Amino acid sequence: MVDKLKFVLAVLAVAAGIAGFYLLVPDASLLRAASVLGGLVVAVLLVWTTTQGRQLVSFARESIFEARKVVWPTRKETVQTTAMVFVFVLIMAIFLWLTDKTLEWVMYDLILGWKK
């Protein structure tokens, strides 16, 4: 029940920040931005203290730890793979163009007799 109350307070904090943005005079741009930022900071701090917030922080830490284990490709491997993709796309484009032109010729010239 306490967690639900904290979530409601977090939503109210964001709403208060947004309301402050619109209620403050248009000349005070820095104060208006601080109002929204303050509401977001209070909301994040409230959510961080909930059970789900702690689980989210734990998940984020584990994700960062797992991301450090990833073996990224070298520059040479990346360039080679990208080149292979471009070559494949070019070959497929030529194939589809030839298929389209062949079907166009068959349909319009041979079957329907619509000469250009």
Side-chain angles (χ1 to χ4, degrees), residues 94-113:
I94 292 170
F95 171 75
L96 291 173
W97 179 76
L98 286 173
T99 303
D100 180 54
K101 289 301 171 185
T102 302
L103 288 173
E104 178 184 351
W105 175 72
V106 167
M107 291 297 294
Y108 291 125
D109 292 345
L110 294 181
I111 295 175
L112 296 174

Side-chain angles (χ1 to χ4, degrees), residues 3-114:
D3 284 349
K4 290 182 182 179
L5 181 62
K6 287 181 183 179
F7 278 119
V8 169
L9 289 175
V11 170
L12 289 175
V14 171
I18 294 171
F21 179 83
Y22 287 107
L23 292 177
L24 291 172
V25 292
D27 297 335
S29 297
L30 186 61
L31 188 59
R32 294 173 77 192
S35 170
V36 174
L37 188 61
L40 289 174
V41 167
V42 169
V44 167
L45 290 175
L46 281 170
V47 170
W48 198 341
T49 60
T50 64
T51 304
Q52 291 89 353
R54 287 190 294 274
Q55 289 174 351
L56 179 65
V57 170
S58 175
F59 175 75
R61 285 185 183 142
E62 291 173 11
S63 297
I64 291 169
F65 178 72
E66 290 296 325
R68 289 184 183 149
K69 292 181 183 179
V70 173
V71 179
W72 298 100
T74 63
R75 181 178 175 88
K76 181 180 177 184
E77 292 170 336
T78 304
V79 169
Q80 287 175 344
T81 304
T82 304
M84 289 171 54
V85 168
F86 279 123
V87 167
F88 178 76
V89 167
L90 180 65
I91 291 170
M92 283 303 298
I94 292 170
F95 171 75
L96 291 173
W97 179 76
L98 286 173
T99 303
D100 180 54
K101 289 301 171 185
T102 302
L103 288 173
E104 178 184 351
W105 175 72
V106 167
M107 291 297 294
Y108 291 125
D109 292 345
L110 294 181
I111 295 175
L112 296 174
W114 295 353

